[in-house]
Amino acid sequence: MLVAFSIYYNVTVDYLVGASTIQEPYRRYPEFIVNLLNDYNYMSNESIEDLQKYIELLKIRDSVKRQQK
């Protein structure tokens, strides 16, 4: 949840919790990442597990494609 707030307000998580005075984040996340984090809060545990499995499959696919080049 803190990550979503930090992305929304374009600040670091450390800045949000008062652990740092550095306000600028290391990088700006694409909008689809922000949307994914927001959607994650409303997903069931089963859907979250399925999403994690799908991400792992995509990583495997990308690895195979890199090896074929």
Side-chain angles (χ1 to χ4, degrees):
M1 190 66 157
L2 283 176
V3 173
F5 280 128
S6 70
I7 292 168
Y8 180 79
Y9 290 108
N10 199 27
V11 296
T12 62
V13 173
D14 289 346
Y15 180 80
L16 280 178
V17 298
S20 171
T21 58
I22 299 172
Q23 189 172 359
E24 288 185 26
Y26 297 107
R27 63 181 166 155
R28 180 81 172 135
Y29 292 97
E31 187 175 342
F32 78 92
I33 296 294
V34 175
N35 292 337
L36 179 61
L37 289 171
N38 288 329
D39 291 342
Y40 178 86
N41 290 322
Y42 298 101
M43 296 173 76
S44 68
N45 288 339
E46 181 181 9
S47 292
I48 291 170
E49 288 175 13
D50 289 346
L51 178 60
Q52 291 170 332
K53 290 174 187 174
Y54 183 65
I55 289 171
E56 288 302 315
L57 285 172
L58 293 175
K59 288 166 53 177
I60 292 168
R61 182 187 70 180
D62 288 347
S63 176
V64 168
K65 284 185 177 183
R66 278 193 300 276
Q67 290 175 1
Q68 290 177 347
K69 288 184 179 182

